[in-house]
Amino acid sequence: MITWLDPQDPFPPVERALGPASDAPGLLAASRDLTPQRLLLAYRQGIFPWYSEGQPVLWWSTDPRMVLAPSALKVSPSLRKTLRRVLRDPDWEIRVDDNFSAVMRACAMTPRDGQLGTWITHEIIAAYVALHRLDLAHSVEAWYQGERVGGLYGVALGRMFYGESMFAHRTDASKIALAALCAFLERHGVTMIDCQQETDHLASLGAAPIARTDFIAHVRAAAASPAIEPWRFDKGELRRWAGTNSANGAT
């Protein structure tokens, strides 16, 4: 039995989440409210929302937890070649927070293998846009010839980043955005990105599962650290992965 939360109720301990033998491993609680305050409370405790249209808000704390160390991002030889081209080509840009809600909508509308519909509902978009206005949620966007062709968004608390979703409308565009984000976060002392749930795609990018107890311990310290300011960077961050050492992308 999971806990039903009224607006003023605290989350139950994450240890009460349904176990691996259940039909919904990691499911902890349900509620009607999805406010910025509730989201921040959740993230600081290693809890995240995930539900479909027509369901109550479902709150999860999975064990193990999939995470990506920014320094551990897997950059294949072909992606490294692409990143060098992006650095050289003025048609490519990395923009931060150019249009946060547009990135969320693009993530919601992008078809994904094995997934019908989207969990990024209008309610989800409104809640995360509210966090963005508080400078606690950010988008990283890959632009080509003046068009947004890929990107990602997530929540940033202290020195902790919680990744939410990515999209690509051009080959490797989401990976370009992720590579720029990882380099930026690594430079600012962030050692863990929350990826929430295990997938083959995340594993191919370098993410790995860790025990929930280890994840929660890290979150408590990292989220309480000073925030990154300002959230501004450009494609020069890609030099971390492209093996370049000059502004024009020379190797």
Side-chain angles (χ1 to χ4, degrees), residues 41-106:
L41 190 64
Y43 281 115
R44 292 186 186 279
Q45 297 179 60
I47 300 165
F48 63 93
W50 185 45
Y51 63 102
S52 299
E53 194 79 56
Q55 292 181 324
V57 182
L58 301 178
W59 300 95
W60 303 75
S61 182
T62 52
D63 188 13
R65 188 70 161 241
M66 197 71 161
V67 301
L68 171 65
S71 61
L73 177 71
K74 288 183 180 178
V75 178
S76 67
S78 62
L79 178 58
R80 194 176 303 276
K81 183 177 180 180
T82 296
L83 298 180
R84 290 173 176 169
R85 185 167 64 248
V86 170
L87 281 165
R88 291 194 303 266
D89 189 345
D91 282 340
W92 279 99
E93 301 174 75
I94 294 292
R95 302 185 190 179
V96 179
D97 295 335
D98 183 87
N99 192 327
F100 182 86
S101 61
V103 171
M104 288 199 71
R105 291 193 298 271

Side-chain angles (χ1 to χ4, degrees), residues 132-153:
H132 171 64
R133 289 172 180 156
L134 295 172
D135 204 32
L136 297 174
H138 300 280
S139 62
V140 180
E141 309 168 25
W143 286 67
Y144 183 70
Q145 294 184 342
E147 179 183 358
R148 184 186 299 102
V149 293
L152 57 86
Y153 75 94

Side-chain angles (χ1 to χ4, degrees), residues 2 24 33 38 54 63 76 85 91 96 111 122 167 231 246:
I2 64 169
D33 66 312
R38 175 67 79 183
D63 188 13
S76 67
R85 185 167 64 248
D91 282 340
V96 179
H122 294 298
F167 81 95
W231 265 78
S246 68

Side-chain angles (χ1 to χ4, degrees), residues 209-225:
I210 64 171
R212 181 170 57 203
T213 52
D214 294 338
F215 175 75
I216 297 296
H218 180 87
V219 163
R220 285 174 178 162
S225 300

Side-chain angles (χ1 to χ4, degrees), residues 12-27:
V14 296
E15 292 79 12
R16 293 188 190 173
L18 298 182
S22 73
D23 292 334
L27 181 58

Side-chain angles (χ1 to χ4, degrees), residues 34 51-54 104 108 118-127:
L34 185 69
Y51 63 102
S52 299
E53 194 79 56
M104 288 199 71
T118 180
W119 67 274
I120 305 174
T121 63
H122 294 298
E123 184 182 29
I124 285 279
I125 292 173

Side-chain angles (χ1 to χ4, degrees), residues 169-200:
H169 293 164
R170 187 181 177 92
T171 301
D172 285 340
S174 61
K175 293 179 182 178
I176 292 167
L178 179 61
L181 171 68
C182 284
F184 172 77
L185 292 177
E186 183 183 11
R187 182 162 58 83
H188 285 275
V190 176
T191 60
M192 184 181 292
I193 297 173
D194 178 24
C195 301
Q196 299 178 352
Q197 301 190 61
E198 292 186 59
T199 68
D200 291 340

